[in-house]
Amino acid sequence: MKKKFSYHFPGIVAYFFVLLFVYAALSKLLDFEAFQVQLAQSPLLSAYAGFISYAVIIVELIIAALLCINSMRLVGLYASFGLMVSFTIYIYLILNFSDFVPCSCGGILEKLGWTEHLIFNVACIALALGAIIILERQRATNWQRYLIFSGTIGVISCGLVIFLFISSEHIMKTENNFTRRFLQHPMEEDKKMDLGANSYYFAGTADNNIYLGNYTTPLILTVIDTALTSKASSTLVIDHKNHPFRSIQIQVQKPYYYIYDGNVPVIYRGELGKQNAKTISYKDAYFNQIIPLDSARFAIRTQSSETQNRVLGILDLQKDPKVKLYPRLLEKQKDGVFDSDGKMVRDPVTGKILYTYFYRNQFIEMDSELNIERKLHTIDTVTRAQIQVTQLKDGQHKMSAPPLTVNKNMVAYRKLLFNESNLMGKHESRKAWKQAAIVDVYRTDRQEYVGSFYVFNRGKDKMSHMLVTDRYFYILIGNEMVRYRLYPSLTRHFSTGKAENL
């Protein structure tokens, strides 16, 4: 009876693996898109999701076919052993070395937890190895030979998965091929406030308060506490009003607020808590973006009177001359105007200035003197601005076709750049893109992609502005301000240091 069982055991194991692999392959094929998406979110195999999604299914079906042929059964068992070792080391790495535990199984195995799945795989390895030993003994193979061969297959299988893990992590973080990895539970909505209008924007934070400007009533500054329990507005009074303003805006940087309209070369400054603001700069510089560096210094983006290109500079009210331009900071690709368009933001903790291009996959980090410290890139593959520009007779540049917008909006905090992307990555759901904005997170002190998260629409309303603090992620969406509580999967990437405005 024992000999009879030993004789049939390899065949029983072979057909068990046939059922297992055929079932697993068909489960993946029936929902192939979901299988690819799940692999893309794997912390080990993200960069190779496209190749591996096909390879695993093909290998499983080939092994199943080998196991069904008597003359090839031993080869099939060795292949089954190697594949199950690969699956097992993959789960071991997931449980012990990954940042999070994803779900990448299908069919009945989806009901198993990762530990139970590990135990199941170890049992499968034991079955395959047992069947190999019995079959090799039946063929009178030297025991050292098949044990060394089995061990070699096991080592190669482990090494291959470990190599893919290390390589994938390097590609995802530094050489990403536009595969997003969505952070596991990075934040959760916990409070909201109805603002009564959709024309607000974030002006800044200070002393546990959030300050809002309003595009339609530009001299009204609204203060909301970070708990979203109180709201107060005040009308600011500027000392000189007789200017041809087009778009007045406000920025808050403790202990002051600044009022400006770069179309008119004027800047007002007032103390927080006081309504009156005085002119501190007039006819010093025209600008289309400005960031206060301190009470009398500003980083500005303007247009060169000589080349008509966009250019960054510093406006220092205590120096003569007051304006110093740095024409080589922004890289011209086509026209020097639209191709270098982007947004300048400041990290309130580090004081670094970041400039992110709208139409290409690059952002630059500068110090407070606008010295470039590093040039970094986003994970999409658009290295050159895809725009069509026409120059009119009067010298003005106009877009002659809609541009491909890569980056829409961004904010910096604690050496992280939160960038709202406008492009869909590999293996992503079109349905999700219609329902949410996607924010990609990058390190600003080195080339590293941290991960991404969704900010879901509220009805037809989409996120218009965002703000980050140590504990919360705030957005303006429609008539509401929404607060999300940040969780460690995101906050653990924050750098240490004293925040200026929380």
Side-chain angles (χ1 to χ4, degrees):
M1 185 70 179
K2 184 177 180 181
K3 291 184 179 180
K4 188 175 181 181
F5 176 77
S6 297
Y7 179 80
H8 291 291
F9 182 74
I12 295 171
V13 172
Y15 285 114
F16 165 75
F17 280 120
V18 169
L19 290 173
L20 178 65
F21 293 148
V22 170
Y23 174 76
L26 290 178
S27 295
K28 296 178 180 74
L29 281 172
L30 289 173
D31 200 357
F32 185 69
E33 183 181 3
F35 174 56
Q36 274 195 324
V37 171
Q38 289 167 348
L39 274 180
Q41 297 311 306
S42 165
L44 272 65
L45 305 176
S46 304
Y48 302 107
F51 166 75
I52 290 178
S53 61
Y54 291 100
V56 169
I57 295 173
I58 293 171
V59 168
E60 287 177 336
L61 292 176
I62 289 175
I63 293 176
L66 292 174
L67 291 168
C68 291
I69 304 171
N70 285 334
S71 61
M72 300 299 293
R73 182 162 293 164
L74 183 59
V75 175
L77 285 171
Y78 275 115
S80 300
F81 171 75
L83 187 61
M84 294 310 299
V85 169
S86 297
F87 289 162
T88 303
I89 193 65
Y90 170 75
I91 294 174
Y92 178 80
L93 292 173
I94 286 284
L95 292 174
N96 292 278
F97 296 99
S98 69
D99 294 335
F100 59 92
V101 178
C103 176
S104 59
C105 305
I108 191 170
L109 296 182
E110 191 173 12
K111 306 300 180 182
L112 297 178
W114 282 94
T115 302
E116 290 80 6
H117 202 161
L118 181 65
I119 295 171
F120 175 83
N121 282 10
V122 171
C124 287
I125 291 173
L127 286 174
L129 191 58
I132 288 169
I133 292 172
I134 291 173
L135 206 54
E136 290 282 25
R137 284 180 175 177
Q138 291 174 0
R139 298 185 179 190
T141 305
N142 183 286
W143 65 272
Q144 292 180 328
R145 179 180 175 184
Y146 61 75
L147 286 183
I148 292 174
F149 190 48
S150 299
T152 302
I153 291 175
V155 171
I156 292 174
S157 299
C158 290
L160 179 61
V161 175
I162 293 171
F163 168 77
L164 289 175
F165 165 53
I166 296 172
S167 175
S168 178
E169 282 297 282
H170 174 73
I171 291 173
M172 286 297 295
K173 291 182 177 181
T174 63
E175 299 176 5
N176 193 291
N177 58 354
F178 208 11
T179 300
R180 283 192 172 90
R181 178 182 294 168
F182 289 91
L183 298 167
Q184 299 295 297
H185 200 54
M187 62 185 190
E188 183 177 28
E189 179 183 336
D190 75 342
K191 206 159 189 181
K192 61 182 179 180
M193 174 182 280
D194 187 352
L195 302 176
N198 63 359
S199 52
Y200 287 99
Y201 61 89
F202 288 116
T205 62
D207 299 326
N208 294 317
N209 288 319
I210 298 172
Y211 291 84
L212 302 178
N214 194 309
Y215 293 117
T216 57
T217 53
L219 288 178
I220 291 182
L221 183 62
T222 299
V223 186
I224 298 175
D225 68 322
T226 53
L228 304 192
T229 57
S230 65
K231 173 185 174 185
S233 297
S234 59
T235 301
L236 305 179
V237 179
I238 54 180
D239 57 359
H240 293 94
K241 301 179 181 179
N242 299 324
H243 298 300
F245 296 119
R246 296 183 191 176
S247 177
I248 294 177
Q249 293 188 49
I250 304 171
Q251 280 195 54
V252 170
Q253 186 170 307
K254 184 181 177 181
Y256 301 109
Y257 61 85
Y258 301 87
I259 305 172
Y260 56 89
D261 181 344
N263 299 294
V264 177
V266 61
I267 303 172
Y268 306 90
R269 186 181 67 202
E271 293 185 35
L272 289 174
K274 297 181 180 180
Q275 291 181 276
N276 295 317
K278 297 182 179 180
T279 302
I280 60 171
S281 172
Y282 182 55
K283 292 186 177 181
D284 294 321
Y286 290 90
F287 52 87
N288 42 48
Q289 290 188 33
I290 187 169
I291 292 180
L293 300 175
D294 57 41
S295 61
R297 293 177 67 251
F298 304 85
I300 62 172
R301 192 188 74 174
T302 185
Q303 199 158 3
S304 170
S305 58
E306 297 178 0
T307 64
Q308 301 303 309
N309 294 341
R310 296 190 192 276
V311 61
L312 300 184
I314 288 181
L315 169 61
D316 190 333
L317 304 181
Q318 297 177 337
K319 286 188 176 181
D320 187 21
K322 295 180 180 180
V323 178
K324 184 177 181 180
L325 300 181
Y326 299 85
R328 295 186 179 181
L329 291 180
L330 302 184
E331 296 179 3
K332 177 180 177 180
Q333 291 185 335
K334 291 187 176 182
D335 68 322
V337 179
F338 293 109
D339 63 353
S340 59
D341 198 6
K343 184 176 180 180
M344 185 169 53
V345 298
R346 179 176 179 269
D347 186 327
V349 178
T350 66
K352 303 296 185 182
I353 305 297
L354 291 105
Y355 188 88
T356 307
Y357 293 100
F358 287 143
Y359 306 125
R360 58 178 115 154
N361 65 348
Q362 190 182 76
F363 61 97
I364 57 178
E365 184 189 48
M366 299 163 282
D367 61 19
S368 59
E369 299 294 333
L370 296 191
N371 297 306
I372 292 182
E373 297 195 340
R374 53 190 58 86
K375 295 181 180 180
L376 306 168
H377 58 80
T378 56
I379 59 174
D380 64 90
T381 57
V382 183
T383 58
R384 296 191 65 82
Q386 298 181 23
I387 59 174
Q388 296 181 32
V389 180
T390 300
Q391 186 172 356
L392 304 180
K393 292 181 180 179
D394 61 1
Q396 292 188 38
H397 293 253
K398 296 289 184 182
M399 288 275 198
S400 56
L404 176 66
T405 301
V406 175
N407 307 305
K408 293 176 65 176
N409 193 18
M410 55 289 303
V411 64
Y413 192 74
R414 286 194 179 277
K415 295 186 180 180
L416 294 182
L417 178 71
F418 295 76
N419 179 59
E420 182 186 356
S421 175
N422 197 50
L423 298 182
M424 183 183 298
K426 294 181 179 179
H427 318 303
E428 290 181 15
S429 167
R430 292 188 178 275
K431 182 179 179 181
W433 266 85
K434 293 178 181 179
Q435 297 175 342
I438 288 185
V439 177
D440 300 324
V441 185
Y442 302 92
R443 291 289 296 261
T444 62
D445 57 343
R446 62 175 180 261
Q447 181 61 59
E448 182 177 322
Y449 164 63
V450 172
S452 305
F453 59 88
Y454 290 111
V455 180
F456 286 94
N457 303 338
R458 302 176 81 84
K460 295 182 179 180
D461 295 323
K462 299 181 179 181
M463 177 181 70
S464 59
H465 297 84
M466 52 186 173
L467 176 73
V468 183
T469 68
D470 277 346
R471 296 169 55 193
Y472 299 109
F473 180 82
Y474 297 88
I475 67 168
L476 297 178
I477 182 167
N479 294 343
E480 294 181 320
M481 180 191 292
V482 182
R483 187 181 77 178
Y484 296 85
R485 181 179 296 276
L486 298 177
Y487 288 113
S489 63
L490 182 55
T491 57
R492 69 185 182 84
H493 296 283
F494 282 165
S495 68
T496 57
K498 182 179 179 181
E500 294 179 2
N501 298 316
L502 301 181

